[in-house]
Amino acid sequence: MGPRAIITIDGPAGAGKSTVAKLLAATLGYLYLDSGALYRLVAWQSARLRLDLADARALSEFLEGLQPEMTTDSQGFHLWVDGLEATPFLREPQVSQQSSRVAILPPVRTWVTGKLRQWAQNGGVVAEGRDLGTVVFPQAECKFYLDAALETRAARRRREWQKDETPLSPEKVAQELADRDRRDANRAAAPMRAAADAVVIDTTDLNPQEVVKQCLVRIGEVLPGAAGPEIKLEMKTG
Ligand code: DC
């Protein structure tokens, strides 16, 4: 086993971050952290409690009391609140939109950043989001920024949703993503952007295995030893 590094993957929704992060974490034997799920959790739970987000004191008390349990494996990242698994509710379209609204609030960003740093304290982490290479883990040994054409990202998101039978038109999904991109990239606090030292990958014409392969080449360069023999084998056949 090589060094227990921190690897960050940032980029807009539908760029392929989750699939690639999960595959990388499984390949390296690292912990997978999904920061978007934490913003979604804040959006979901604050809506359930009908919290007034403009009330600074109420927001701060709410965040202090929000202590999710986390379990993570190659299949996903699961969050539990008061014994209830929140994960199945977090991908709903209204939670997606609301998550990028709560994400502009500095106390919410501080709360999510704190949780991520706590869970990553022993290293050996692949973490995905919007500001992980820039703000949460600026010291990360290896950073990626994935992007893809809006239409491609919308088509991927739609395919994901269709499994859950959420009927949304391609135009509606593209609009939803574009609205979120705008909010995520233009906010004052920790806007979505590639870190200066991130490797930028356009995934429009790549499948997840091809992206993972590019990432592993880079990881092998920066973290010799992290990529064990089984990884080299996988790259030869991939
Ligand atoms: O990655 P995702 O689609 O699950 O993220 C949901 C929202 O959370 C996204 O629109 C913006 C916010 N987010 C953020 O502001 N910073 C992050 N590091 C991750 C997500």
Side-chain angles (χ1 to χ4, degrees):
M1 175 59 65
R4 308 283 299 166
I6 292 183
I7 297 170
T8 60
I9 306 187
D10 288 305
K17 300 187 302 291
S18 302
T19 311
V20 168
K22 278 181 223 167
L23 280 169
L24 277 181
T27 309
L28 298 166
Y30 276 21
L31 182 72
Y32 163 61
L33 294 180
D34 174 6
S35 62
L38 286 164
Y39 288 99
R40 288 168 183 273
L41 183 78
V42 171
W44 175 72
Q45 181 71 339
S46 60
R48 280 174 85 212
L49 299 176
R50 299 187 196 289
L51 184 82
D52 176 4
L53 292 166
D55 181 340
R57 218 170 98 193
L59 177 62
S60 134
E61 279 169 15
F62 162 74
L63 292 171
E64 232 164 80
L66 188 58
Q67 300 288 347
E69 302 272 316
M70 176 269 289
T71 58
T72 176
D73 53 37
S74 60
Q75 300 311 308
F77 181 82
H78 303 268
L79 291 171
W80 308 72
V81 178
D82 302 329
L84 171 70
E85 183 173 4
T87 326
F89 307 106
L90 302 184
R91 307 299 306 180
E92 286 169 7
Q94 60 278 29
V95 177
S96 300
Q97 285 298 339
Q98 186 60 10
S99 63
S100 83
R101 293 195 188 98
V102 301
I104 65 171
L105 303 170
V108 173
R109 300 210 71 81
T110 304
W111 181 86
V112 172
T113 298
K115 285 273 168 277
L116 294 167
R117 289 183 181 158
Q118 179 194 331
W119 288 332
Q121 62 191 346
N122 297 324
V125 159
V126 180
E128 63 147 303
R130 304 290 187 287
D131 63 338
L132 298 191
T134 51
V135 173
V136 183
F137 300 120
Q139 81 287 12
E141 287 83 353
C142 196
K143 302 178 185 178
F144 298 99
Y145 188 90
L146 307 188
D147 206 347
L150 179 63
E151 296 69 32
T152 308
R153 296 193 283 118
R156 289 174 185 160
R157 199 36 51 98
R158 213 163 159 261
R159 271 199 300 276
E160 239 173 71
W161 281 346
Q162 272 169 353
K163 281 186 227 144
D164 302 333
E165 292 167 14
T166 306
L168 282 182
S169 70
E171 295 75 25
K172 181 95 184 86
V173 176
Q175 185 60 52
E176 193 262 6
L177 287 186
D179 288 348
R180 273 211 290 149
D181 286 354
R182 206 170 311 115
R183 270 198 298 272
D184 296 346
N186 295 326
R187 66 180 174 228
M192 167 174 74
R193 64 182 170 80
D197 51 348
V199 172
V200 178
I201 303 177
D202 182 341
T203 71
T204 307
D205 298 316
L206 301 175
N207 65 38
Q209 284 72 22
E210 290 168 324
V211 181
V212 167
K213 206 163 149 180
Q214 288 193 20
C215 293
L216 285 173
V217 170
R218 172 73 181 165
I219 292 167
E221 284 165 9
V222 228
L223 296 167
E230 68 280 25
I231 293 166
K232 287 186 188 114
L233 196 69
E234 193 172 296
M235 283 172 55
K236 256 189 234 150
T237 55

